[in-house]
Amino acid sequence: MSAQAFYRALGLNGYDVIDCHETPDEISIIVELPRHKWRCPECSSRRVQLHEWKFRRWLNAPIGLKLTSVGMSVPRVKCLNCGARKRIPVKFAMERAQHTLAYERYAASLLQHMTPHDFARREGIAWGTAAAIDQRRLAAVPKPSLRRLKRIAIDEIYAGKLHKFLSLVLDLDSGAVVFVGAGRGSAALRPFFEKLQKTRAKVQAVSIDMAGGYIKAVEENLPQATLVFDRFHIVKLMNEKLTQLRREQYNLAQDMQMKAVLKGIRWLLLMNGDPPTPKGKPIRRLGQGKIGMEQRRLADLSRLRAALELNLPLSTAYIMKEELRMLWSFGSKADADEYLQNWCRRPDVSAIGVLKTMAQTLRKYARQILNWYDERISSGPLEGTNNKIKLLQRRAYGYRNRNHFILRIETLHTTKVRLVG
């Protein structure tokens, strides 16, 4: 490779190399812009004269294991045509940057496999510089087209004290986050629906939880789409009612034995079916020897049965919680509708307030719940994306810049190996 080809590879094409100094740790290259290439930055006139010099140095892409820097005396010229006095821009680096475009490309390639925090420590540069490079890299990644959207999921995530709540829209077919809005509710989704309207996309189905703001936004902007309430959030709401009932029964209990039975069984009530065999090492309880895994499972099952036998309201709510999970296992929508109506009539003859409230909610949104039989979608993939976002924040030690954080979420689907690129 010739010297000129080597310098072109470093992004120095069009400049004359006047010196190259090498030390055991660094290679320093000094360049200059030929006089016949001087142009006025304002009017591009050649009729310019030198006003002053300013020497600058930029960090360049490394050669082997050696740091590389580029130095140049940048001329500030006076235009004899328009009278402007400005410094001639450098083509191999961005304005006011302390590194070259070649270093930018080098950093972008590494940031696909590490966080800005890790890259900054590796290169010995400022964290803000690494984060800015990463933000420009992510901004250049092609965004998914909204015009092809058919089935989407909408949910919110709490991103910490700095960013608060964010509203996410996920393409259920591609797994890409197509929109991230600040806040939650219908106002946070307004920019998304404005963009969607311009693309004339024909969204067929939307999966959301029972949040009133999201319901209003979807019904106003996508009246033709099938609205499906997510199964996970319905079961979660029933679990919250069961937890509330357990707490009420504990506070009402006068017998110490009843309090002892009801205390600490929340997770047993929320398990799907019998408690599974715990994983891990055998535990040692106070005044007892080591308890094996199967023995522990049987002990938990015995505690659950004792609580249900001693407390009739809790037993009723637990059975209805288990029966509600069967709503999505029928072969037809009509059978599921009949089952749901029968389920909602049972709390009417009981004195359990939380079950009556739950039945009223299910009656109110029965159509949206049963729409699952028409469009079998859920917000499960979006819940998984939320977990990836939280992991991403921990790996990166947080994102100070909201725009950078949003770009990272919108390009999350391009990460295939590790949650760092």
Side-chain angles (χ1 to χ4, degrees):
M1 178 184 290
S2 65
Q4 292 299 325
F6 175 72
Y7 293 135
R8 283 197 301 270
L10 293 178
L12 303 178
N13 189 29
Y15 292 81
D16 293 338
V17 177
I18 60 177
D19 190 16
C20 183
H21 180 67
E22 181 180 2
T23 66
D25 300 322
E26 183 180 357
I27 298 176
S28 179
I29 303 172
I30 307 299
V31 299
E32 70 175 4
L33 182 65
R35 180 65 179 81
H36 66 274
K37 294 184 177 181
W38 289 13
R39 299 286 189 277
C40 173
E42 288 291 330
C43 64
S44 300
S45 172
R46 292 186 178 184
R47 299 180 63 247
V48 295
Q49 65 181 20
L50 178 65
H51 181 66
E52 65 174 356
W53 298 97
K54 182 179 180 180
F55 185 80
R56 291 193 60 190
R57 188 177 295 275
W58 297 267
L59 183 64
N60 204 355
I63 300 175
L65 297 178
K66 290 188 176 183
L67 297 176
T68 306
S69 64
V70 176
M72 175 182 171
S73 293
V74 184
R76 185 184 183 194
V77 296
K78 177 182 178 181
C79 181
L80 302 179
N81 186 37
C82 66
R85 296 186 181 185
K86 288 194 174 182
R87 203 169 301 279
I88 296 178
V90 177
K91 295 181 179 180
F92 56 79
M94 293 183 297
E95 186 179 3
R96 298 182 180 180
Q98 296 182 352
H99 58 271
T100 65
L101 296 175
Y103 185 84
E104 180 105 357
R105 294 190 294 270
Y106 160 76
S109 65
L110 288 184
L111 285 168
Q112 296 179 16
H113 308 287
M114 62 176 59
T115 66
H117 177 83
D118 294 333
F119 180 78
R121 290 199 306 174
R122 179 186 186 275
E123 296 291 313
I125 63 175
W127 180 91
T129 301
I133 295 174
D134 190 50
Q135 185 172 346
R136 289 190 289 269
R137 175 186 73 88
L138 295 173
V141 176
K143 301 299 185 297
S145 174
L146 298 181
R147 189 172 185 177
R148 297 187 178 92
L149 289 182
K150 298 296 182 183
R151 306 185 305 164
I152 62 175
I154 302 175
D155 200 2
E156 64 187 29
I157 182 176
Y158 182 70
K161 295 181 179 180
L162 180 61
H163 303 298
K164 304 297 182 182
F165 283 95
L166 298 175
S167 294
L168 308 181
V169 180
L170 180 76
D171 182 359
L172 291 174
D173 295 318
S174 66
V177 177
V178 295
F179 176 77
V180 181
R184 52 181 175 174
S186 59
L189 295 176
R190 190 175 297 117
F192 167 71
F193 287 118
E194 291 176 355
K195 294 179 181 178
L196 191 66
Q197 186 177 8
K198 295 177 181 179
T199 63
R200 298 182 180 180
K202 298 180 180 179
V203 179
Q204 299 175 357
V206 183
S207 176
I208 61 173
D209 58 13
M210 289 180 282
Y214 293 152
I215 296 173
K216 177 182 177 182
V218 173
E219 291 180 344
E220 289 180 353
N221 296 278
L222 298 174
Q224 78 287 352
T226 301
L227 185 58
V228 182
F229 281 170
D230 182 54
R231 171 181 178 177
F232 167 80
H233 289 93
I234 297 171
V235 175
K236 178 183 177 182
L237 179 61
M238 183 61 196
N239 288 338
E240 292 174 356
K241 299 298 183 183
L242 186 60
T243 300
Q244 180 183 347
L245 179 61
R246 184 199 67 85
R247 191 176 295 114
E248 291 175 356
Q249 293 298 311
Y250 178 84
N251 294 331
L252 292 174
Q254 301 295 329
D255 186 9
M256 296 304 297
Q257 180 183 1
M258 176 67 75
K259 285 184 174 289
V261 171
L262 294 178
K263 186 176 182 180
I265 65 165
R266 174 177 174 270
W267 73 274
L268 294 175
L269 292 171
L270 303 184
M271 295 297 294
N272 296 332
D274 294 339
T277 302
K279 298 180 181 180
K281 297 181 179 179
I283 63 172
R284 184 185 297 274
R285 291 181 178 170
L286 186 63
Q288 301 179 9
K290 289 186 177 180
I291 302 178
M293 297 298 100
E294 180 62 20
Q295 289 79 3
R296 182 180 176 183
R297 188 187 74 85
L298 294 176
D300 291 334
L301 182 58
S302 177
R303 291 182 61 203
L304 177 60
R305 289 175 177 172
L308 298 180
E309 290 174 0
L310 291 175
N311 193 288
L312 181 60
L314 194 63
S315 176
T316 302
Y318 176 80
I319 294 173
M320 294 194 67
K321 184 265 295 187
E322 291 294 313
E323 291 178 348
L324 181 61
R325 293 173 52 240
M326 299 173 59
L327 179 62
W328 294 269
S329 60
F330 289 91
S332 67
K333 185 177 181 179
D335 293 340
D337 188 13
E338 182 180 358
Y339 182 83
L340 179 61
Q341 298 304 323
N342 292 334
W343 191 98
C344 292
R345 280 193 290 267
R346 292 170 59 188
D348 294 338
V349 299
S350 69
I352 305 175
V354 294
L355 291 183
K356 291 183 178 181
T357 304
M358 185 67 188
Q360 292 174 359
T361 302
L362 295 182
R363 284 196 187 101
K364 180 179 179 180
Y365 298 117
R367 180 175 60 85
Q368 291 86 349
I369 295 172
L370 296 174
N371 279 343
W372 180 84
Y373 283 89
D374 299 326
E375 295 284 349
R376 302 203 172 194
I377 60 175
S378 72
S379 300
L382 187 51
E383 295 294 334
T385 300
N386 290 346
N387 292 333
K388 291 181 181 179
I389 293 173
K390 294 175 182 178
L391 176 59
L392 186 70
Q393 285 183 285
R394 289 197 297 269
R395 282 187 176 273
Y397 295 92
Y399 287 84
R400 304 175 193 174
N401 187 300
R402 172 172 286 184
N403 292 332
H404 186 195
F405 185 41
I406 290 177
L407 282 172
R408 192 63 193 87
I409 295 174
E410 291 177 341
T411 57
L412 190 61
H413 64 285
T414 62
T415 301
K416 299 182 182 300
V417 181
R418 298 178 60 202
L419 285 175
V420 294

